[in-house]
Amino acid sequence: MITAFETLAAKHPWPNTTGVTAWDYTLGGGGRHLVDAIILEQKPALMLEIGCFLCASTKHWLSLDPDLKVVGIDPWDDGLIEQCARYVGRPALTRAYPEREMQERFAADIARQGPFPTALANLRGFEGRFVPVRGLSPDALYGLKDMGLEPELIYIDANKQAVDLEVCHALWPDAQITGDDWHWGRTKGYPMRKVVYAFAEKHGFTVEADHATWVLHRP
């Protein structure tokens, strides 16, 4: 029997990553152990990741559990080229590569290879367990639901909008929702915290947070 995951994988094939240099790059926001614990203790079969960047977190989570499958939504468009170029010379955003020469090589590879092949090159060895869906949330979510996809764990690292949480909860009410950017935007009043707290109050969840990571729990 062909599963919804297999059908989705056929519809969204990987790019050719032959000769593509992989960069296991993360902004390292911290608190990911909260997500790790869910994967290791609850053993979800399918995780939905909204906003994948270069798939460093994806690689980490797939490495934790050999039975976990992940569907990732990201446009992987040329905007990431400009974004990565802005990291050069900014130590707070390039902890993994403190030497400027390495930072410049990183930015140059993203520009030369393209964000999409570079991200997937980072996941070599996980070809059968990750499906890359090029698109934006929440629009792309409805198609996943229509195909019968039922994630048990959802991780949101997108545009800090309440609509992402609302649509995820409406489509998959039993899924546990977690995400990033808890400590982002101090001068803006921590916008993701406002979104998550408002959602939690509306739907009766409690919030656990550590560094950049937050998790919604049912009472």
Side-chain angles (χ1 to χ4, degrees), residues 27-64:
L27 295 176
R32 297 292 191 270
H33 64 277
L34 298 178
V35 183
D36 294 354
I38 296 170
I39 292 172
L40 293 172
E41 296 170 11
Q42 300 182 23
K43 307 290 286 185
L46 180 63
M47 179 178 183
L48 174 61
E49 183 177 8
I50 301 171
C52 303
F53 190 38
L54 296 179
C55 292
S57 294
T58 318
K59 182 178 180 179
H60 171 72
W61 290 321
L62 287 168
S63 299
L64 285 178

PDB file of all heavy atoms in Angstrom, residues 27-64:
ATOM      1  N   LEU A  27      21.689  28.709  13.153  1.00  0.00           N
ATOM      2  CA  LEU A  27      21.836  29.932  13.928  1.00  0.00           C
ATOM      3  C   LEU A  27      21.946  29.630  15.419  1.00  0.00           C
ATOM      4  O   LEU A  27      22.269  30.516  16.211  1.00  0.00           O
ATOM      5  CB  LEU A  27      20.657  30.869  13.673  1.00  0.00           C
ATOM      6  CG  LEU A  27      20.554  31.398  12.240  1.00  0.00           C
ATOM      7  CD1 LEU A  27      19.298  32.231  12.079  1.00  0.00           C
ATOM      8  CD2 LEU A  27      21.782  32.204  11.878  1.00  0.00           C
ATOM      9  N   GLY A  28      21.693  28.381  15.803  1.00  0.00           N
ATOM     10  CA  GLY A  28      21.956  27.933  17.168  1.00  0.00           C
ATOM     11  C   GLY A  28      21.192  28.661  18.240  1.00  0.00           C
ATOM     12  O   GLY A  28      21.774  29.127  19.218  1.00  0.00           O
ATOM     13  N   GLY A  29      19.865  28.753  18.075  1.00  0.00           N
ATOM     14  CA  GLY A  29      19.075  29.506  19.030  1.00  0.00           C
ATOM     15  C   GLY A  29      18.973  28.893  20.412  1.00  0.00           C
ATOM     16  O   GLY A  29      18.669  29.575  21.379  1.00  0.00           O
ATOM     17  N   GLY A  30      19.197  27.608  20.545  1.00  0.00           N
ATOM     18  CA  GLY A  30      19.150  26.956  21.843  1.00  0.00           C
ATOM     19  C   GLY A  30      17.764  26.458  22.206  1.00  0.00           C
ATOM     20  O   GLY A  30      16.751  26.859  21.636  1.00  0.00           O
ATOM     21  N   GLY A  31      17.720  25.551  23.172  1.00  0.00           N
ATOM     22  CA  GLY A  31      16.461  24.996  23.650  1.00  0.00           C
ATOM     23  C   GLY A  31      15.946  23.829  22.845  1.00  0.00           C
ATOM     24  O   GLY A  31      14.845  23.322  23.117  1.00  0.00           O
ATOM     25  N   ARG A  32      16.699  23.365  21.865  1.00  0.00           N
ATOM     26  CA  ARG A  32      16.209  22.281  21.010  1.00  0.00           C
ATOM     27  C   ARG A  32      16.028  20.968  21.771  1.00  0.00           C
ATOM     28  O   ARG A  32      15.369  20.049  21.283  1.00  0.00           O
ATOM     29  CB  ARG A  32      17.159  22.061  19.826  1.00  0.00           C
ATOM     30  CG  ARG A  32      17.287  23.234  18.867  1.00  0.00           C
ATOM     31  CD  ARG A  32      16.001  23.471  18.093  1.00  0.00           C
ATOM     32  NE  ARG A  32      16.222  24.408  17.017  1.00  0.00           N
ATOM     33  CZ  ARG A  32      16.087  25.728  17.115  1.00  0.00           C
ATOM     34  NH1 ARG A  32      15.707  26.255  18.277  1.00  0.00           N
ATOM     35  NH2 ARG A  32      16.318  26.521  16.089  1.00  0.00           N
ATOM     36  N   HIS A  33      16.615  20.881  22.966  1.00  0.00           N
ATOM     37  CA  HIS A  33      16.451  19.653  23.748  1.00  0.00           C
ATOM     38  C   HIS A  33      14.981  19.408  24.091  1.00  0.00           C
ATOM     39  O   HIS A  33      14.582  18.265  24.333  1.00  0.00           O
ATOM     40  CB  HIS A  33      17.273  19.731  25.039  1.00  0.00           C
ATOM     41  CG  HIS A  33      16.843  20.805  25.979  1.00  0.00           C
ATOM     42  ND1 HIS A  33      17.255  22.119  25.844  1.00  0.00           N
ATOM     43  CD2 HIS A  33      16.008  20.779  27.051  1.00  0.00           C
ATOM     44  CE1 HIS A  33      16.714  22.842  26.814  1.00  0.00           C
ATOM     45  NE2 HIS A  33      15.945  22.055  27.547  1.00  0.00           N
ATOM     46  N   LEU A  34      14.163  20.469  24.078  1.00  0.00           N
ATOM     47  CA  LEU A  34      12.730  20.276  24.317  1.00  0.00           C
ATOM     48  C   LEU A  34      12.091  19.456  23.201  1.00  0.00           C
ATOM     49  O   LEU A  34      11.238  18.595  23.448  1.00  0.00           O
ATOM     50  CB  LEU A  34      12.027  21.628  24.431  1.00  0.00           C
ATOM     51  CG  LEU A  34      12.459  22.546  25.582  1.00  0.00           C
ATOM     52  CD1 LEU A  34      11.689  23.866  25.513  1.00  0.00           C
ATOM     53  CD2 LEU A  34      12.260  21.869  26.925  1.00  0.00           C
ATOM     54  N   VAL A  35      12.509  19.718  21.973  1.00  0.00           N
ATOM     55  CA  VAL A  35      12.013  18.959  20.824  1.00  0.00           C
ATOM     56  C   VAL A  35      12.623  17.565  20.816  1.00  0.00           C
ATOM     57  O   VAL A  35      11.943  16.575  20.524  1.00  0.00           O
ATOM     58  CB  VAL A  35      12.317  19.698  19.513  1.00  0.00           C
ATOM     59  CG1 VAL A  35      11.726  18.947  18.316  1.00  0.00           C
ATOM     60  CG2 VAL A  35      11.787  21.123  19.555  1.00  0.00           C
ATOM     61  N   ASP A  36      13.905  17.491  21.144  1.00  0.00           N
ATOM     62  CA  ASP A  36      14.568  16.185  21.215  1.00  0.00           C
ATOM     63  C   ASP A  36      13.818  15.246  22.147  1.00  0.00           C
ATOM     64  O   ASP A  36      13.635  14.060  21.843  1.00  0.00           O
ATOM     65  CB  ASP A  36      16.006  16.340  21.728  1.00  0.00           C
ATOM     66  CG  ASP A  36      16.910  17.105  20.773  1.00  0.00           C
ATOM     67  OD1 ASP A  36      16.458  17.430  19.657  1.00  0.00           O
ATOM     68  OD2 ASP A  36      18.071  17.358  21.143  1.00  0.00           O
ATOM     69  N   ALA A  37      13.398  15.778  23.298  1.00  0.00           N
ATOM     70  CA  ALA A  37      12.716  14.940  24.284  1.00  0.00           C
ATOM     71  C   ALA A  37      11.404  14.381  23.740  1.00  0.00           C
ATOM     72  O   ALA A  37      11.056  13.221  23.995  1.00  0.00           O
ATOM     73  CB  ALA A  37      12.465  15.745  25.563  1.00  0.00           C
ATOM     74  N   ILE A  38      10.684  15.198  22.995  1.00  0.00           N
ATOM     75  CA  ILE A  38       9.431  14.729  22.393  1.00  0.00           C
ATOM     76  C   ILE A  38       9.703  13.587  21.428  1.00  0.00           C
ATOM     77  O   ILE A  38       9.010  12.558  21.427  1.00  0.00           O
ATOM     78  CB  ILE A  38       8.711  15.882  21.677  1.00  0.00           C
ATOM     79  CG1 ILE A  38       8.301  16.959  22.677  1.00  0.00           C
ATOM     80  CG2 ILE A  38       7.490  15.366  20.917  1.00  0.00           C
ATOM     81  CD1 ILE A  38       7.794  18.236  22.031  1.00  0.00           C
ATOM     82  N   ILE A  39      10.722  13.752  20.596  1.00  0.00           N
ATOM     83  CA  ILE A  39      11.058  12.717  19.605  1.00  0.00           C
ATOM     84  C   ILE A  39      11.495  11.431  20.287  1.00  0.00           C
ATOM     85  O   ILE A  39      11.067  10.327  19.904  1.00  0.00           O
ATOM     86  CB  ILE A  39      12.158  13.237  18.661  1.00  0.00           C
ATOM     87  CG1 ILE A  39      11.609  14.376  17.791  1.00  0.00           C
ATOM     88  CG2 ILE A  39      12.710  12.108  17.782  1.00  0.00           C
ATOM     89  CD1 ILE A  39      12.659  15.090  16.974  1.00  0.00           C
ATOM     90  N   LEU A  40      12.323  11.540  21.306  1.00  0.00           N
ATOM     91  CA  LEU A  40      12.874  10.354  21.955  1.00  0.00           C
ATOM     92  C   LEU A  40      11.868   9.662  22.863  1.00  0.00           C
ATOM     93  O   LEU A  40      11.877   8.429  22.979  1.00  0.00           O
ATOM     94  CB  LEU A  40      14.118  10.736  22.758  1.00  0.00           C
ATOM     95  CG  LEU A  40      15.334  11.190  21.926  1.00  0.00           C
ATOM     96  CD1 LEU A  40      16.430  11.725  22.831  1.00  0.00           C
ATOM     97  CD2 LEU A  40      15.858  10.028  21.079  1.00  0.00           C
ATOM     98  N   GLU A  41      10.995  10.434  23.504  1.00  0.00           N
ATOM     99  CA  GLU A  41      10.070   9.849  24.473  1.00  0.00           C
ATOM    100  C   GLU A  41       8.727   9.468  23.861  1.00  0.00           C
ATOM    101  O   GLU A  41       8.158   8.423  24.193  1.00  0.00           O
ATOM    102  CB  GLU A  41       9.867  10.827  25.627  1.00  0.00           C
ATOM    103  CG  GLU A  41      11.139  11.087  26.432  1.00  0.00           C
ATOM    104  CD  GLU A  41      11.000  12.234  27.414  1.00  0.00           C
ATOM    105  OE1 GLU A  41       9.851  12.695  27.633  1.00  0.00           O
ATOM    106  OE2 GLU A  41      12.028  12.689  27.957  1.00  0.00           O
ATOM    107  N   GLN A  42       8.222  10.311  22.969  1.00  0.00           N
ATOM    108  CA  GLN A  42       6.906  10.048  22.388  1.00  0.00           C
ATOM    109  C   GLN A  42       6.969   9.291  21.068  1.00  0.00           C
ATOM    110  O   GLN A  42       5.960   8.765  20.603  1.00  0.00           O
ATOM    111  CB  GLN A  42       6.154  11.368  22.207  1.00  0.00           C
ATOM    112  CG  GLN A  42       5.929  12.111  23.515  1.00  0.00           C
ATOM    113  CD  GLN A  42       5.134  13.397  23.326  1.00  0.00           C
ATOM    114  OE1 GLN A  42       4.394  13.560  22.353  1.00  0.00           O
ATOM    115  NE2 GLN A  42       5.280  14.322  24.249  1.00  0.00           N
ATOM    116  N   LYS A  43       8.131   9.279  20.448  1.00  0.00           N
ATOM    117  CA  LYS A  43       8.370   8.518  19.214  1.00  0.00           C
ATOM    118  C   LYS A  43       7.358   8.842  18.109  1.00  0.00           C
ATOM    119  O   LYS A  43       6.686   7.938  17.575  1.00  0.00           O
ATOM    120  CB  LYS A  43       8.362   7.022  19.501  1.00  0.00           C
ATOM    121  CG  LYS A  43       9.299   6.590  20.610  1.00  0.00           C
ATOM    122  CD  LYS A  43      10.744   6.696  20.212  1.00  0.00           C
ATOM    123  CE  LYS A  43      11.133   5.608  19.249  1.00  0.00           C
ATOM    124  NZ  LYS A  43      12.595   5.641  18.933  1.00  0.00           N
ATOM    125  N   PRO A  44       7.201  10.106  17.731  1.00  0.00           N
ATOM    126  CA  PRO A  44       6.286  10.403  16.617  1.00  0.00           C
ATOM    127  C   PRO A  44       6.801   9.769  15.331  1.00  0.00           C
ATOM    128  O   PRO A  44       8.013   9.725  15.075  1.00  0.00           O
ATOM    129  CB  PRO A  44       6.331  11.937  16.537  1.00  0.00           C
ATOM    130  CG  PRO A  44       7.663  12.308  17.114  1.00  0.00           C
ATOM    131  CD  PRO A  44       7.908  11.312  18.207  1.00  0.00           C
ATOM    132  N   ALA A  45       5.884   9.276  14.526  1.00  0.00           N
ATOM    133  CA  ALA A  45       6.266   8.657  13.257  1.00  0.00           C
ATOM    134  C   ALA A  45       6.537   9.713  12.194  1.00  0.00           C
ATOM    135  O   ALA A  45       7.376   9.516  11.309  1.00  0.00           O
ATOM    136  CB  ALA A  45       5.179   7.702  12.786  1.00  0.00           C
ATOM    137  N   LEU A  46       5.813  10.846  12.277  1.00  0.00           N
ATOM    138  CA  LEU A  46       5.921  11.870  11.247  1.00  0.00           C
ATOM    139  C   LEU A  46       5.972  13.255  11.881  1.00  0.00           C
ATOM    140  O   LEU A  46       5.137  13.594  12.726  1.00  0.00           O
ATOM    141  CB  LEU A  46       4.741  11.787  10.280  1.00  0.00           C
ATOM    142  CG  LEU A  46       4.730  12.803   9.131  1.00  0.00           C
ATOM    143  CD1 LEU A  46       5.925  12.598   8.210  1.00  0.00           C
ATOM    144  CD2 LEU A  46       3.433  12.703   8.343  1.00  0.00           C
ATOM    145  N   MET A  47       6.926  14.045  11.440  1.00  0.00           N
ATOM    146  CA  MET A  47       7.104  15.418  11.913  1.00  0.00           C
ATOM    147  C   MET A  47       6.965  16.359  10.723  1.00  0.00           C
ATOM    148  O   MET A  47       7.454  16.076   9.621  1.00  0.00           O
ATOM    149  CB  MET A  47       8.492  15.564  12.542  1.00  0.00           C
ATOM    150  CG  MET A  47       8.830  16.944  13.053  1.00  0.00           C
ATOM    151  SD  MET A  47      10.487  16.926  13.835  1.00  0.00           S
ATOM    152  CE  MET A  47      10.606  18.609  14.421  1.00  0.00           C
ATOM    153  N   LEU A  48       6.299  17.472  10.953  1.00  0.00           N
ATOM    154  CA  LEU A  48       6.182  18.516   9.941  1.00  0.00           C
ATOM    155  C   LEU A  48       7.019  19.702  10.396  1.00  0.00           C
ATOM    156  O   LEU A  48       6.818  20.230  11.497  1.00  0.00           O
ATOM    157  CB  LEU A  48       4.722  18.931   9.777  1.00  0.00           C
ATOM    158  CG  LEU A  48       4.425  20.116   8.843  1.00  0.00           C
ATOM    159  CD1 LEU A  48       4.879  19.824   7.423  1.00  0.00           C
ATOM    160  CD2 LEU A  48       2.933  20.455   8.885  1.00  0.00           C
ATOM    161  N   GLU A  49       7.946  20.120   9.560  1.00  0.00           N
ATOM    162  CA  GLU A  49       8.818  21.247   9.881  1.00  0.00           C
ATOM    163  C   GLU A  49       8.495  22.392   8.922  1.00  0.00           C
ATOM    164  O   GLU A  49       8.630  22.245   7.704  1.00  0.00           O
ATOM    165  CB  GLU A  49      10.290  20.852   9.755  1.00  0.00           C
ATOM    166  CG  GLU A  49      11.247  21.969  10.143  1.00  0.00           C
ATOM    167  CD  GLU A  49      12.706  21.543  10.090  1.00  0.00           C
ATOM    168  OE1 GLU A  49      12.993  20.432   9.614  1.00  0.00           O
ATOM    169  OE2 GLU A  49      13.550  22.329  10.531  1.00  0.00           O
ATOM    170  N   ILE A  50       8.087  23.522   9.482  1.00  0.00           N
ATOM    171  CA  ILE A  50       7.705  24.682   8.684  1.00  0.00           C
ATOM    172  C   ILE A  50       8.814  25.724   8.796  1.00  0.00           C
ATOM    173  O   ILE A  50       8.963  26.366   9.828  1.00  0.00           O
ATOM    174  CB  ILE A  50       6.361  25.255   9.163  1.00  0.00           C
ATOM    175  CG1 ILE A  50       5.263  24.186   9.072  1.00  0.00           C
ATOM    176  CG2 ILE A  50       5.973  26.477   8.337  1.00  0.00           C
ATOM    177  CD1 ILE A  50       3.957  24.597   9.721  1.00  0.00           C
ATOM    178  N   GLY A  51       9.592  25.859   7.737  1.00  0.00           N
ATOM    179  CA  GLY A  51      10.765  26.721   7.744  1.00  0.00           C
ATOM    180  C   GLY A  51      11.993  25.898   8.057  1.00  0.00           C
ATOM    181  O   GLY A  51      12.294  25.628   9.222  1.00  0.00           O
ATOM    182  N   CYS A  52      12.735  25.493   7.024  1.00  0.00           N
ATOM    183  CA  CYS A  52      13.833  24.538   7.209  1.00  0.00           C
ATOM    184  C   CYS A  52      15.225  25.146   7.041  1.00  0.00           C
ATOM    185  O   CYS A  52      16.212  24.542   7.476  1.00  0.00           O
ATOM    186  CB  CYS A  52      13.699  23.385   6.210  1.00  0.00           C
ATOM    187  SG  CYS A  52      12.138  22.494   6.302  1.00  0.00           S
ATOM    188  N   PHE A  53      15.317  26.291   6.357  1.00  0.00           N
ATOM    189  CA  PHE A  53      16.606  26.928   6.086  1.00  0.00           C
ATOM    190  C   PHE A  53      17.533  25.915   5.417  1.00  0.00           C
ATOM    191  O   PHE A  53      17.209  25.402   4.351  1.00  0.00           O
ATOM    192  CB  PHE A  53      17.176  27.519   7.373  1.00  0.00           C
ATOM    193  CG  PHE A  53      18.382  28.403   7.195  1.00  0.00           C
ATOM    194  CD1 PHE A  53      18.492  29.255   6.110  1.00  0.00           C
ATOM    195  CD2 PHE A  53      19.404  28.393   8.123  1.00  0.00           C
ATOM    196  CE1 PHE A  53      19.603  30.073   5.944  1.00  0.00           C
ATOM    197  CE2 PHE A  53      20.515  29.208   7.977  1.00  0.00           C
ATOM    198  CZ  PHE A  53      20.611  30.046   6.889  1.00  0.00           C
ATOM    199  N   LEU A  54      18.672  25.574   6.006  1.00  0.00           N
ATOM    200  CA  LEU A  54      19.611  24.639   5.388  1.00  0.00           C
ATOM    201  C   LEU A  54      19.534  23.243   6.008  1.00  0.00           C
ATOM    202  O   LEU A  54      20.425  22.415   5.818  1.00  0.00           O
ATOM    203  CB  LEU A  54      21.039  25.183   5.484  1.00  0.00           C
ATOM    204  CG  LEU A  54      21.262  26.486   4.720  1.00  0.00           C
ATOM    205  CD1 LEU A  54      22.701  26.965   4.881  1.00  0.00           C
ATOM    206  CD2 LEU A  54      20.935  26.327   3.231  1.00  0.00           C
ATOM    207  N   CYS A  55      18.464  22.980   6.734  1.00  0.00           N
ATOM    208  CA  CYS A  55      18.133  21.639   7.227  1.00  0.00           C
ATOM    209  C   CYS A  55      19.086  21.097   8.288  1.00  0.00           C
ATOM    210  O   CYS A  55      19.209  19.879   8.462  1.00  0.00           O
ATOM    211  CB  CYS A  55      18.031  20.636   6.069  1.00  0.00           C
ATOM    212  SG  CYS A  55      16.629  20.948   4.978  1.00  0.00           S
ATOM    213  N   ALA A  56      19.744  21.973   9.029  1.00  0.00           N
ATOM    214  CA  ALA A  56      20.602  21.502  10.115  1.00  0.00           C
ATOM    215  C   ALA A  56      19.769  20.884  11.237  1.00  0.00           C
ATOM    216  O   ALA A  56      20.112  19.824  11.769  1.00  0.00           O
ATOM    217  CB  ALA A  56      21.450  22.647  10.655  1.00  0.00           C
ATOM    218  N   SER A  57      18.668  21.538  11.609  1.00  0.00           N
ATOM    219  CA  SER A  57      17.798  20.974  12.646  1.00  0.00           C
ATOM    220  C   SER A  57      17.145  19.686  12.155  1.00  0.00           C
ATOM    221  O   SER A  57      17.024  18.710  12.907  1.00  0.00           O
ATOM    222  CB  SER A  57      16.713  21.989  13.045  1.00  0.00           C
ATOM    223  OG  SER A  57      17.280  23.110  13.677  1.00  0.00           O
ATOM    224  N   THR A  58      16.745  19.672  10.895  1.00  0.00           N
ATOM    225  CA  THR A  58      16.150  18.462  10.310  1.00  0.00           C
ATOM    226  C   THR A  58      17.111  17.290  10.427  1.00  0.00           C
ATOM    227  O   THR A  58      16.724  16.177  10.823  1.00  0.00           O
ATOM    228  CB  THR A  58      15.827  18.696   8.822  1.00  0.00           C
ATOM    229  OG1 THR A  58      15.254  19.976   8.635  1.00  0.00           O
ATOM    230  CG2 THR A  58      14.896  17.620   8.304  1.00  0.00           C
ATOM    231  N   LYS A  59      18.348  17.530  10.069  1.00  0.00           N
ATOM    232  CA  LYS A  59      19.369  16.478  10.130  1.00  0.00           C
ATOM    233  C   LYS A  59      19.531  15.961  11.555  1.00  0.00           C
ATOM    234  O   LYS A  59      19.640  14.751  11.790  1.00  0.00           O
ATOM    235  CB  LYS A  59      20.694  17.032   9.610  1.00  0.00           C
ATOM    236  CG  LYS A  59      21.837  16.028   9.576  1.00  0.00           C
ATOM    237  CD  LYS A  59      23.072  16.694   9.002  1.00  0.00           C
ATOM    238  CE  LYS A  59      24.244  15.728   8.937  1.00  0.00           C
ATOM    239  NZ  LYS A  59      25.448  16.394   8.338  1.00  0.00           N
ATOM    240  N   HIS A  60      19.535  16.876  12.498  1.00  0.00           N
ATOM    241  CA  HIS A  60      19.676  16.481  13.899  1.00  0.00           C
ATOM    242  C   HIS A  60      18.514  15.606  14.340  1.00  0.00           C
ATOM    243  O   HIS A  60      18.712  14.544  14.958  1.00  0.00           O
ATOM    244  CB  HIS A  60      19.755  17.742  14.771  1.00  0.00           C
ATOM    245  CG  HIS A  60      19.676  17.472  16.240  1.00  0.00           C
ATOM    246  ND1 HIS A  60      20.708  16.895  16.940  1.00  0.00           N
ATOM    247  CD2 HIS A  60      18.669  17.685  17.139  1.00  0.00           C
ATOM    248  CE1 HIS A  60      20.361  16.758  18.222  1.00  0.00           C
ATOM    249  NE2 HIS A  60      19.135  17.238  18.357  1.00  0.00           N
ATOM    250  N   TRP A  61      17.290  16.004  14.003  1.00  0.00           N
ATOM    251  CA  TRP A  61      16.128  15.247  14.438  1.00  0.00           C
ATOM    252  C   TRP A  61      16.044  13.892  13.754  1.00  0.00           C
ATOM    253  O   TRP A  61      15.698  12.891  14.386  1.00  0.00           O
ATOM    254  CB  TRP A  61      14.857  16.067  14.215  1.00  0.00           C
ATOM    255  CG  TRP A  61      14.779  17.231  15.143  1.00  0.00           C
ATOM    256  CD1 TRP A  61      15.139  17.249  16.458  1.00  0.00           C
ATOM    257  CD2 TRP A  61      14.337  18.555  14.836  1.00  0.00           C
ATOM    258  NE1 TRP A  61      14.945  18.505  16.977  1.00  0.00           N
ATOM    259  CE2 TRP A  61      14.454  19.325  16.023  1.00  0.00           C
ATOM    260  CE3 TRP A  61      13.848  19.172  13.691  1.00  0.00           C
ATOM    261  CZ2 TRP A  61      14.101  20.668  16.091  1.00  0.00           C
ATOM    262  CZ3 TRP A  61      13.489  20.507  13.752  1.00  0.00           C
ATOM    263  CH2 TRP A  61      13.616  21.251  14.928  1.00  0.00           C
ATOM    264  N   LEU A  62      16.366  13.819  12.489  1.00  0.00           N
ATOM    265  CA  LEU A  62      16.368  12.534  11.794  1.00  0.00           C
ATOM    266  C   LEU A  62      17.427  11.600  12.367  1.00  0.00           C
ATOM    267  O   LEU A  62      17.260  10.373  12.354  1.00  0.00           O
ATOM    268  CB  LEU A  62      16.608  12.751  10.295  1.00  0.00           C
ATOM    269  CG  LEU A  62      15.436  13.342   9.505  1.00  0.00           C
ATOM    270  CD1 LEU A  62      15.902  13.782   8.129  1.00  0.00           C
ATOM    271  CD2 LEU A  62      14.297  12.339   9.395  1.00  0.00           C
ATOM    272  N   SER A  63      18.509  12.171  12.872  1.00  0.00           N
ATOM    273  CA  SER A  63      19.580  11.367  13.457  1.00  0.00           C
ATOM    274  C   SER A  63      19.189  10.805  14.819  1.00  0.00           C
ATOM    275  O   SER A  63      19.763   9.804  15.268  1.00  0.00           O
ATOM    276  CB  SER A  63      20.852  12.210  13.609  1.00  0.00           C
ATOM    277  OG  SER A  63      21.306  12.678  12.362  1.00  0.00           O
ATOM    278  N   LEU A  64      18.216  11.439  15.482  1.00  0.00           N
ATOM    279  CA  LEU A  64      17.814  10.985  16.810  1.00  0.00           C
ATOM    280  C   LEU A  64      17.043   9.679  16.773  1.00  0.00           C
ATOM    281  O   LEU A  64      17.183   8.847  17.677  1.00  0.00           O
ATOM    282  CB  LEU A  64      16.934  12.043  17.484  1.00  0.00           C
ATOM    283  CG  LEU A  64      17.602  13.291  18.032  1.00  0.00           C
ATOM    284  CD1 LEU A  64      16.545  14.228  18.613  1.00  0.00           C
ATOM    285  CD2 LEU A  64      18.641  12.960  19.084  1.00  0.00           C
TER     286      LEU A  64
END
